[in-house]
Amino acid sequence: MAIPIILYTAHHCPFAHRVQIALRQIGLEFETCLIDITVPRTRDYLAINPNGMVPALVYGDLVLTESNLICQFLSDAYPGHLLKASSEAGGALQRFKTGYFVEVYFAKAHLFFDSTVFSNDPDIKKAMATKYVDAIARHVEPLLTDAAPFFGESERPTLAEVLLGPFLLRVLALPKHDHLVPGSLPDALEREAPRFYAWAQIVTTVNSVTAIWDEDLVVRLTLERIAKMKAAK
């Protein structure tokens, strides 16, 4: 008998989006419950997840939180193309390389992309976008030499694509909105980090990654968040 699964999520949240991708990649049936994270959380949701954040995954009798840990749990519970079991040949090394890759991307590069998006100064946006491209070229590009087409010579998406997919969607889509990200960023990535750019293009066409992606919604809510941050200063 299948374990009942309920995903409490917000489709515009990249962290919650990760879990949706993992569930779809594994092929698990799940119920979706949308949470409005732009307003104070309801008492009912706080009873499920007291910190009020998304995602929360009800997995049988368990309530799991923190997107990276949920995705890791699902990959461990259902070993396969996302992630080998550590006892499988090459499994321990794959797990290390995946964890290292994801850590490097967020610690060395993605912070500059976020700074680009949320800056109100056009000159700072351009400077942060340049730093993002430089960090990708220096730190991330060398880790994709064996992307064929997915991370680690995989022919199918892995945990690396699950954890980065929602963020790559934003990296490639938001430059179409120059008031958020300079429109020159994709060309700079293609020039300075061609492996990363090609890999990101492939990842962002995977059905499980694009299934709930709504660019207009993400842009609108990002602009609203920037306006609130500006008003709070």
Side-chain angles (χ1 to χ4, degrees):
M1 182 176 178
I3 296 173
I5 300 174
I6 304 173
L7 174 62
Y8 291 85
T9 187
H11 284 342
H12 63 279
C13 172
F15 296 97
H17 190 174
R18 289 169 153 180
V19 180
Q20 182 108 206
I21 297 170
L23 290 166
R24 291 176 184 274
Q25 277 294 322
I26 295 169
L28 296 173
E29 293 186 4
F30 62 98
E31 178 185 345
T32 298
C33 184
L34 294 178
I35 302 298
D36 187 350
I37 59 174
T38 67
V39 299
R41 310 305 180 266
T42 65
R43 186 174 299 176
D44 287 344
Y45 185 60
L46 290 175
I48 295 166
N49 187 6
N51 69 21
M53 304 296 286
V54 291
L57 188 74
V58 176
Y59 182 86
D61 296 330
L62 302 173
V63 178
L64 309 175
T65 61
E66 299 298 330
S67 64
N68 60 326
L69 297 178
I70 295 172
C71 292
Q72 183 73 55
F73 167 81
L74 291 171
S75 299
D76 286 336
Y78 303 91
H81 67 278
L82 291 185
L83 198 65
K84 294 179 181 179
S86 57
S87 57
E88 290 182 65
L93 182 58
Q94 182 203 33
R95 297 164 80 88
F96 171 81
K97 287 183 175 180
T98 301
Y100 182 77
F101 176 71
V102 173
E103 173 67 21
V104 166
Y105 176 79
F106 285 103
K108 300 290 188 180
H110 197 77
L111 68 166
F112 295 121
F113 184 79
D114 279 347
S115 295
T116 302
V117 174
F118 292 104
S119 173
N120 286 304
D121 186 319
D123 290 335
I124 293 177
K125 279 187 180 292
K126 290 179 181 178
M128 291 297 103
T130 297
K131 286 188 175 184
Y132 175 73
V133 173
D134 289 347
I136 291 293
R138 179 179 178 185
H139 300 291
V140 181
E141 179 82 350
L143 302 178
L144 287 168
T145 56
D146 60 356
F150 299 108
F151 186 73
E153 299 184 325
S154 178
E155 296 181 356
R156 299 178 67 186
T158 71
L159 183 60
E161 283 79 24
V162 167
L163 295 178
L164 268 67
F167 301 91
L168 297 175
L169 283 167
R170 287 157 174 79
V171 168
L172 295 183
L174 295 190
K176 290 184 283 183
H177 309 271
D178 201 57
H179 49 298
L180 288 174
V181 175
S184 59
L185 187 138
D187 287 341
L189 281 172
E190 186 175 18
R191 182 176 61 253
E192 302 296 333
R195 283 193 296 267
F196 174 84
Y197 182 77
W199 172 74
Q201 291 276 358
I202 292 169
V203 174
T204 54
T205 61
V206 173
N207 288 339
S208 62
V209 175
T210 61
I212 55 91
W213 169 244
D214 186 336
E215 183 177 329
D216 291 340
L217 176 65
V218 169
V219 169
R220 177 173 63 81
L221 293 178
T222 301
L223 289 172
E224 289 179 5
R225 182 179 171 188
I226 291 171
K228 288 179 181 178
M229 292 168 62
K230 187 176 182 180
K233 289 185 177 180

